[in-house]
Amino acid sequence: MTITTENPIIDLFLDALWMEKGLSQNTLSSYRRDLKLFDQWLQCTASPGLLQVQPSDIQSYLAARLRDQKSPRSTARLLSCLRGFYQYQLRESKIALDPTLDIDSPKLPMPLPKSLSETEVEELLSAPDVEVPLELRDRAMLELLYASGLRVTELVSLRMGQLSLTQGVVKVMGKGSKERLVPTGEEALYWMQRYMQHGRPLLLGTHMSDVIFPSRRGTMMTRQTFWHRIKLYAQRAGIKKTLSPHTLRHAFATHLINHGADLRVVQLLLGHSDLSTTQIYTHVARERMKELHTQHHPRG
């Protein structure tokens, strides 16, 4: 049997997806790979073509992936891709029924975001040498990140019109173009004021820019550059934990909840549209309490 590796039906779907939703090239590549593998499996098993499959064919494919020990997360992504593909075909009147309609997604374990203790955060924030303009900028960025729970992308893209030093708030345009006002806190406000007076003018030099945290060239810093800066300071502070670009955002939320903050307030500060997304931090707080109990209780 000849296995066809290219299928114009897949290309048409991906083109439509790109035009409708503007998905990234990485996401489109993942969808292409998932659909091609499913199409090839159908051909190898003499199953019907992509537009003729039944729910039982998809169940068989999912079972085959389970035998191959594919992760539940990749299977959930595959199923999401298939759902989008068949909903598109249904809209285009290429099929009469969506074969994914009654297929449940695999249950995924709730990942607990990696966080830092309050002591580790203090050490990280104190790592930059604030006598150096570049590191003063980084100190202000780290302080603002921890004080406000911004996403790294939101932080590096901040412009002057979004910051009010007199009111101590930043106006953030988050995911889905949703705007929110976030307080900076006194400590972050102090470092922001110090940076704006003694760091930013020296960094900009003759460059003109309204970016709050410019790079050495006076342009907007990339999130990757800032991530490298975080790793530099973590190493300098002797922090051995594996960090992510969102580590301080996670620490912000976890420490707020540890100190009794209302979950809905944390949801608003983080810019989560769904409370269930924020609830993961209550799990982090519970895990931390269990850990402390085990360490310090005489019968732990």
Side-chain angles (χ1 to χ4, degrees):
M1 177 188 295
T2 304
I3 304 297
T4 306
T5 57
E6 299 299 331
N7 192 324
I9 297 170
I10 295 174
D11 292 332
L12 284 171
F13 165 65
L14 293 173
D15 287 344
L17 204 58
W18 178 76
M19 286 189 287
E20 288 173 16
K21 298 189 176 180
L23 297 181
S24 71
Q25 211 50 52
N26 283 345
T27 303
L28 291 172
S29 297
S30 296
Y31 277 24
R32 182 184 298 280
R33 184 169 58 251
D34 284 342
L35 289 168
K36 280 175 69 173
L37 287 172
F38 181 49
D39 189 29
Q40 288 168 20
W41 180 85
L42 291 173
Q43 294 177 58
C44 287
T45 56
S47 300
L50 276 174
L51 298 184
Q52 291 80 37
V53 300
Q54 300 297 311
S56 57
D57 298 308
I58 296 176
Q59 294 282 20
S60 296
Y61 183 54
L62 296 179
R65 287 177 58 85
L66 187 62
R67 287 193 297 273
D68 290 340
Q69 298 185 324
K70 301 292 185 186
S71 74
R73 195 164 298 281
S74 68
T75 299
R77 189 197 66 207
L78 161 77
L79 202 47
S80 172
C81 170
L82 291 178
R83 284 202 178 100
F85 176 76
Y86 285 112
Q87 284 163 11
Y88 169 76
Q89 305 304 335
L90 195 61
R91 288 198 307 272
E92 295 294 307
S93 302
K94 299 287 178 63
I95 58 175
L97 293 170
D98 178 356
T100 67
L101 204 56
D102 296 321
I103 297 177
D104 294 329
S105 293
K107 288 194 185 305
L108 298 177
M110 184 174 283
L112 297 179
K114 293 202 169 23
S115 188
L116 296 173
S117 69
E118 293 178 36
T119 301
E120 287 169 329
V121 168
E122 288 293 339
E123 289 168 350
L124 180 65
L125 297 183
S126 301
D129 179 357
V130 294
E131 299 306 316
V132 178
L134 193 71
E135 299 203 12
L136 176 57
R137 177 204 67 186
D138 295 343
R139 174 70 185 259
M141 293 181 81
L142 290 169
E143 290 281 358
L144 183 58
L145 198 61
Y146 178 56
S148 62
L150 299 184
R151 299 175 179 92
V152 172
T153 303
E154 295 169 346
L155 178 76
V156 298
S157 60
L158 281 177
R159 297 186 178 273
M160 294 299 289
Q162 294 175 257
L163 172 68
S164 172
L165 290 175
T166 54
Q167 294 179 320
V169 294
V170 286
K171 183 168 66 176
V172 184
M173 188 66 74
K175 287 185 176 179
S177 299
K178 290 180 180 171
E179 197 176 272
R180 68 187 193 278
L181 278 178
V182 185
T184 61
E186 289 184 12
E187 191 71 16
L189 187 59
Y190 164 78
W191 286 105
M192 287 295 296
Q193 289 170 331
R194 184 168 166 181
Y195 160 68
M196 297 297 278
Q197 289 173 4
H198 306 294
R200 188 171 181 273
L202 292 173
L203 280 179
L204 279 176
T206 57
H207 296 289
M208 297 291 289
S209 174
D210 67 342
V211 175
I212 292 179
F213 301 112
S215 67
R216 284 189 179 95
R217 295 184 298 278
T219 57
M220 184 186 295
M221 192 192 314
T222 66
R223 65 194 302 277
Q224 288 82 6
T225 298
F226 183 59
W227 170 225
H228 287 306
R229 305 294 296 173
I230 290 177
K231 288 198 287 187
L232 166 71
Y233 297 124
Q235 187 176 24
R236 197 182 285 179
I239 296 170
K240 305 296 184 186
K241 288 180 179 175
T242 303
L243 306 185
S244 80
H246 278 335
T247 295
L248 281 175
R249 177 171 161 87
H250 297 322
F252 161 83
T254 305
H255 298 169
L256 275 177
I257 289 171
N258 282 347
H259 286 276
D262 182 82
L263 198 60
R264 289 200 178 274
V265 173
V266 178
Q267 177 193 3
L268 290 171
L269 292 171
L270 290 173
H272 286 162
S273 56
D274 192 332
L275 186 62
S276 63
T277 311
T278 317
Q279 281 173 331
I280 192 169
Y281 294 105
T282 62
H283 294 278
V284 175
R286 278 202 296 270
E287 289 301 314
R288 177 65 179 150
M289 281 192 285
K290 284 182 193 173
E291 184 184 315
L292 289 172
H293 184 276
T294 303
Q295 280 182 348
H296 302 294
H297 194 277
R299 294 183 182 273

